[in-house]
Amino acid sequence: MRRIAYSDELPISRRVDEIRAAIEAHQVVIVAGETGSGKSTQLPKICLDLGRGADGRLIGHTQPRRLAARTVAERIADELGTRLGREVGYTVRFTDQVGPSTRVKVMTDGILLAETQRDRRFDRYDTLILDEAHERSLNIDFLLGYCTQLLPARPDLKLIITSATIDTERFARHFDAPVIEVSGRTYPVELRYRPLAGDGDGDRPDRDQPTGICDAVEELLRAGPGDILVFCSGEREIREADEALAARSLDGVDVLRLYARLSAAEQHRVFAPHDRRRVVLATNVAESSLTVPGIRGVVDTGTARISRYSPRSKVQRLPIEPVSQASADQRQGRCGRIGPGICIRLYSEDDYASRERYTTPEIRRTNLASVILQTMALKLGAIDEFPFLDPPRADAVRDGFKTLFELGAVDRHRRLTRIGRELSRLPVDPRVG
C-alpha cells in the first residue's frame, strides 16, 4: 500500500486536518458535503492515517447500494495502490471480497445491519462510516438507532456519519456531535426550466418525457463540451429515452445506461476513460453515492420511483413520484464539478417551489409490519423504545402488529412465531411472503 495522499481537486482535501482533529476528539463526527466532494473515498484514508483499522479490527464503510459499494471500494484501492480484496475489500449480497489483510471494508448498510446477529457489539470494527445518511432508508435509520444504543458500551468505537448538506442539524442534535461542512460544488451551475406541459395557447405544445429528454440533450450538446447525465425514474423510462435518442441519430455521441440491475461490465463502461461525448441515462443511483466523471450537463425529469405503503390496500407500492427539493438540488449539483455546468429541469420553477423540502424518511412511508418483523428478528428490542431519529406513529405500530397477528407471524403476546422467523428472512412485504 502506497503512502496516503489527498487529491487537491477534491473539496474535502482542504479540511483533512480539521476532520482528523475532530475524529480524534469526538466519538461521533458528522461530515456534510454534496456528492462529489470526496467524502466516500477520502474519509477511509483519513481514518487509516489516524491508525484506525489496525490490530485485526476493520474500518467499516457503508453504502446504500451494491453498485456504489463496489465502485467506492475499487476507487479507494486504486488510490492506495493496492489490489481489491487486500487492504481494501467489499461485501455485498452474494459477493465477499475481504481477506485477512483487509483494513477497510466497504459494504451495503443491509450487510452491516445483518452482522448485528453475529457481532452484537461490532467488535470486528474500530471505526464505522455510515455514508449517504441523508437518504434515511430503513437500514440507515436502524443502524443510527443501534449505534445510539451501542456507543456508550464501546467508547473506543468511532462513528462518522456523512450526509449531503441537508438535514444535518437533526443528526447533530441526535448524537450531540460536531458537523464539518465540505463544500462540494466548485463551479456555478445555470438552471434552465423546460417543462413538458405546453403553454396552453399552442406556441409551445405538450411533450412526452422521451421527447423532452431528447430536446434537452440536443440543447446541452449545442451549449458546450462535456458529458450529459439524464435522471430517469426507472429502467423502463431509461429504455424509452434510449430508443428516442437513437432515433435522433446524434453524431459522435455514445448513449450509456446506468441502473442497479445492470451487469458489472455494463456499469463499468460509465466510469471507463473515453474519447467521444456521452449521454448517461441513470436512475437516482447517480443522485448520491456515485460521481459519474466528466459531467457538464444534467437533465432532470424530476421524478423517481419511491416506495410507499398504501394503508387502504395494505400493499407496498413503488409509484413514480416527484422528487423533493433536496433531491432536485442533489441532481443539479452533479454538473458543477469539472467546470461551469447547465441543469435542465423538465418541470416548472413553480412546480419545484411547491415540492417537499426533504424526502420523507422511509420509516414514515413503509409498511410497519415489515419494520416490526425486522426489529424482532434482529433482536433490537421493542419498536416503541428503539431510538429512531423519526419514531413511527403509535397507530401505525398498532396496525403493523395487527397485520402480523393476522398472518400468524406473532402471537397474542407480541412474540415472534416460527412463521414470523421464516417471513423475516424473505426480502419482501410480509403479506407477499
Side-chain angles (χ1 to χ4, degrees), residues 27-33 39 43 62 128-134 140 143-144 147-148 151 158-164 167-168 170-172 174-175 177-180 389:
Q27 190 174 15
V28 183
V29 175
I30 296 154
V31 180
K39 304 184 303 297
L43 281 172
T62 71
L128 289 176
I129 303 170
L130 302 186
D131 209 352
E132 309 294 353
H134 61 271
I140 287 170
L143 285 171
L144 291 170
C147 288
T148 302
L151 290 172
K158 298 286 188 181
L159 176 64
I160 303 166
I161 300 167
T162 86
S163 171
D167 217 12
T168 50
R170 179 164 287 177
F171 296 121
H174 187 79
F175 287 99
V179 178
I180 298 174
L389 259 71

Side-chain angles (χ1 to χ4, degrees), residues 282-311:
T283 59
N284 59 356
V285 69
E287 184 181 307
S288 56
S289 307
L290 292 175
T291 298
V292 179
I295 299 300
R296 292 286 288 270
V298 162
V299 180
D300 177 15
T301 59
T303 57
R305 288 197 177 274
I306 297 174
S307 176
R308 198 171 291 277
Y309 179 62
S310 169

Side-chain angles (χ1 to χ4, degrees), residues 195-197 205-215 240 244 248 346:
L196 297 176
D206 290 352
R207 298 174 296 167
D208 60 14
Q209 186 169 290
T211 302
I213 288 172
C214 291
D215 292 346
E240 290 173 349
R248 297 272 179 124
L346 300 183

